[in-house]
Every structure is written in structure tokens, then in C-alpha cells.
Amino acid sequence: KWSGGSAKDFLETIRNESGLLTGWGNDEYGFMHLGFQEYLAAREIRTRAFNDPGVLRELASHFGESWWQEVGLILLALEDPSLFGPYMREVVKQPAFAKLPELVEACLDEAAETSPRPFLELLESPPGKDKELWARQLVALRIVERLDPDAIHNLTEQLKGHPSPDMRTWLKERARQASQDIFISEPGGYELVKIPGGVFLMGSPGQEDGRYEWEGPLHEVQVPNFYL
């Protein structure tokens, strides 16, 4: 409890002795460190969001802007309850969602809780001819793969006719990988993938410039299947 004088005395003491506030003018004070502003902004947005969802919509409209980036990440890190679902439901509507995959990954890493639901909802939207939507849906597909791989099985049939070539290619590649011969080693517990064997030529041809004698003779080598 402050007992050192007036409110002005308190602010001046904080400014002059703590390093927390700095004077912006004769009667204006601001936080010395941006982190305090970002944290308190995230807290205030969180408090308002429970009564006014438009606050999250407004924050999402600034997704990718450096001034608001940490505010969004801090908001996602706050829990009990988490606002991951409501906030990301607004973020996936933004064009920046497809343009900033690294920031999206940071959101997943920083969040106190995650859910595939906002991304599944985006994937359930009719793609139409909107290529910007296609780009956002591709990012959403990759996130669902990370958060809930089993959900991809339910989406394959729905998305196999998607108008985006990138979406179809991604699904085909995932199906190819799923069909690979894979097993988990014991006792290490790491994943081994079967690499098909084949034939290659070892050495170098005699007429190659700069070759060493021990590089010949050029000969065929048969490599059996192996796991890596």
C-alpha cells in the first residue's frame, strides 16, 4: 500500500526509481518495456472477449502486424479457459493466415490448449473458385495433420476432388507415405522406413577429367532393400 504521497508522487517514484515507467511528457507516463504493454493488452482483450467477441475479431484483423504479434501469442498462452478456439476461428479468416505459416506454428507452440476444430471448420467450407481460400485451407490441412492426424482420414474422401492442385498433391503424398513399409525399432523406439533396393554404377569412367586411378573400374553394384 503506497503511503509516500499523492498519485503524482507515486508515478514519479515509479518512473525515477523502478525503471517500470518512463515520462512521455509533463503529465504522460508509459511503460519502459514493451512486454508490459503487450501482456496487459492481452489481459484486457481476454477480459473483454467473454462479453464482446468482436474484440477477438479486431485482434485477428491485425494478425501478422509486428505491433500486435506478441499480444496474440500471449493471449493464446493464457488459460482457464483458453481462448484458442474463438481466436483462431477469426484468424483463419484472414489472408495473412496463409501467408505467415511460421507465425501460425508459433501460435500452436505458445497456446496453453489447442484444438483442430477451427481448422476443420475452414476445411468444411465450400472451396468454390476462391484461390485465396484454397491457400488458407491448405495451411489448415497441415495444422490438422499436426493436431489430429486421425481426422485426415475422414477428410480424404471429402477433399480428393478439391479444385486446388496443391491440396490434391498434398493428399496424394500423404497417402503414399502412409502406404510405406514402416516399423518402430526396439528398444530404441525410433521409426524406420523401408528403402527399396536397386542398382547403381560405382566409380567413374576412364575418360573423366581429374579422376583418380582408384575410382575404377566403373562397375555395377546391387543394393538390397534396407531400413533407415
Side-chain angles (χ1 to χ4, degrees), residues 45-180:
I45 290 170
R46 172 184 166 80
T47 299
R48 295 185 184 184
F50 291 106
N51 295 318
D52 180 11
V55 173
L56 295 180
R57 191 177 308 116
E58 175 65 23
L59 178 61
S61 71
H62 299 287
F63 190 75
E65 296 179 15
S66 59
W67 185 260
W68 292 100
Q69 180 170 312
E70 286 300 322
V71 176
L73 293 174
I74 293 171
L75 177 73
L76 291 172
L78 300 174
E79 56 184 339
D80 197 24
S82 168
L83 288 176
F84 180 87
Y87 177 55
M88 295 309 295
R89 193 169 283 116
E90 297 297 334
V91 168
V92 299
K93 300 174 184 177
Q94 308 301 318
F97 174 70
K99 298 175 182 177
L100 300 169
E102 292 183 358
L103 179 54
V104 175
E105 289 291 330
C107 289
L108 301 179
D109 293 337
E110 295 295 328
E113 299 175 15
T114 60
S115 167
R117 192 65 244 165
F119 313 106
L120 289 170
E121 290 171 1
L122 180 63
L123 289 167
E124 290 165 359
S125 301
K129 298 181 180 180
D130 186 351
K131 292 185 178 181
E132 188 272 327
L133 172 59
W134 301 353
R136 289 188 284 118
Q137 288 182 321
L138 180 58
V139 174
L141 188 60
R142 290 169 175 158
I143 294 173
V144 172
E145 167 72 5
R146 169 177 169 174
L147 297 181
D148 187 3
D150 292 337
I152 300 294
H153 297 301
N154 301 326
L155 292 170
T156 301
E157 187 66 24
Q158 170 191 338
L159 297 175
K160 69 178 183 180
H162 197 283
S164 167
D166 292 335
M167 290 277 284
R168 297 196 303 271
T169 298
W170 190 92
L171 289 167
K172 288 178 182 177
E173 177 61 20
R174 186 183 184 281
R176 185 192 66 77
Q177 292 176 1
S179 66
Q180 281 187 317

Side-chain angles (χ1 to χ4, degrees), residues 13-57:
T13 300
I14 293 295
R15 179 192 64 187
N16 298 334
E17 299 180 15
S18 73
L20 181 62
L21 294 177
T22 184
W24 287 357
N26 292 331
D27 57 356
E28 288 185 306
Y29 295 85
F31 286 103
M32 180 76 75
H33 301 289
L34 184 60
F36 286 110
Q37 297 180 55
E38 293 166 337
Y39 175 77
L40 293 175
R43 276 288 182 185
E44 180 66 15
I45 290 170
R46 172 184 166 80
T47 299
R48 295 185 184 184
F50 291 106
N51 295 318
D52 180 11
V55 173
L56 295 180
R57 191 177 308 116

